Amino acid sequence: MIVKFRGILVAACFIGATFAQTNQTKLKIMPLGDSITEITCWRAKLWENLKANNLTDKIEFVGSQNNTQKCDTEDPDFTKQHHEGHTGYLAIDVAYDHIETWINDTRPDIVTFMLGTDDIAKGRRLQDVVEAYGEMVHTMRHYNQYIKVIVNTIVPLPANMIPVKKLNDMIPDWAREDNTTKSPIYVNDIYPFPNDFLKDGIHPNDAGEDQIASGLGSLLTWIINANLTGNATAPS
């Protein structure tokens, strides 16, 4: 069964899942994606959201990239955080050429990704995109059988909305099929996301960044606190 809260779709059977932590002191979160992850400021806003909930001392953002785009954040610790945002990368590129190295190098506990925009722009088959999602999750679970995965619906492309809507409609069904109790998949539905949340027809502006960060902040706060307290009741 799928339940929805604050724009987030969560499979109810996932609630009991826990992290496999040993001696590490912080949960490792990997922000993964294309230019929307690399060159916009939703990561900084997400960090501020988690900081407001007193969670940033319990987590770190991991990846091979460290650029922060001079985003407006008062927390100097954000400049130490990493990510795997790569401009122009397709989901199929990430799945078959890169994800294994990135996961092996950082061993995240949580991966949040938004991928598929560049695949659509290049005319790739939507089924190939969804299969790439599955390949990524398979690789993640190879290195961490308890990994938590958050897939975000993709931003609108005003000039090419039909495949965007179709892909976003396919994501929850894929998440249901690929979930496991030990390694849940969560769907952060960023919509409603009006076209005026974009600054150039592709990348989110300030309001769009807020929209992405808000949903992720709610979901990650829940996941992190559930791990710390053992109370996995979904927020209302």
Side-chain angles (χ1 to χ4, degrees):
M1 179 176 67
I2 295 286
V3 295
K4 184 174 183 178
F5 60 92
R6 297 183 185 177
I8 302 162
L9 300 171
V10 180
C13 64
F14 301 160
I15 290 176
T18 58
F19 290 93
Q21 284 185 277
T22 53
N23 295 323
Q24 72 181 53
T25 57
K26 294 186 177 182
L27 292 175
K28 297 180 179 180
I29 301 171
M30 175 185 284
L32 169 66
D34 50 32
S35 58
I36 294 168
T37 297
E38 181 180 13
I39 68 172
T40 70
C41 288
W42 68 258
R43 288 182 290 107
K45 295 183 178 192
L46 174 61
W47 184 262
E48 289 295 325
N49 182 304
L50 297 173
K51 182 179 177 66
N53 285 297
N54 299 311
L55 295 175
T56 49
D57 62 333
K58 302 172 180 67
I59 63 170
E60 60 179 319
F61 289 178
V62 299
S64 62
Q65 307 298 301
N66 181 240
N67 52 319
T68 59
Q69 303 304 312
K70 298 181 179 178
C71 296
D72 183 16
T73 173
E74 297 179 358
D75 189 354
D77 283 340
F78 179 69
T79 63
K80 305 172 186 176
Q81 305 307 309
H82 293 74
H83 65 92
E84 290 293 358
H86 298 267
T87 297
Y89 276 34
L90 281 61
I92 58 175
D93 294 335
V94 173
Y96 300 106
D97 297 331
H98 303 290
I99 192 67
E100 184 164 16
T101 297
W102 296 339
I103 296 296
N104 184 36
D105 287 349
T106 58
R107 304 297 175 106
D109 300 291
I110 304 169
V111 175
T112 175
F113 72 85
M114 180 186 291
L115 284 163
T117 300
D118 286 307
D119 301 74
I120 288 174
K122 293 185 180 297
R124 300 292 182 150
R125 293 174 61 246
L126 298 182
Q127 188 58 40
D128 292 341
V129 177
V130 173
E131 289 175 4
Y133 291 172
E135 181 67 20
M136 287 190 288
V137 171
H138 174 77
T139 301
M140 294 171 195
R141 288 173 175 162
H142 174 75
Y143 288 96
N144 179 358
Q145 63 179 323
Y146 297 100
I147 198 164
K148 310 294 179 283
V149 180
I150 302 170
V151 55
N152 301 271
T153 52
I154 67 169
V155 300
L157 295 174
N160 197 15
M161 271 306 297
I162 292 175
V164 170
K165 185 178 186 307
K166 287 182 178 178
L167 179 59
N168 285 338
D169 287 345
M170 294 167 74
I171 286 173
D173 289 338
W174 164 77
R176 288 185 186 96
E177 292 173 2
D178 276 32
N179 85 80
T180 69
T181 302
K182 289 194 298 186
S183 173
I185 299 172
Y186 306 92
V187 180
N188 178 36
D189 183 4
I190 67 172
Y191 287 76
F193 200 102
N195 292 343
D196 61 9
F197 278 14
L198 301 172
K199 60 185 176 183
D200 55 8
I202 298 176
H203 299 96
N205 59 20
D206 189 63
E209 293 164 354
D210 286 339
Q211 181 80 344
I212 295 169
S214 176
L216 277 175
S218 295
L219 181 50
L220 282 169
T221 295
W222 173 49
I223 294 171
I224 296 164
N225 280 330
N227 179 65
L228 294 172
T229 66
N231 179 11
T233 302
S236 59

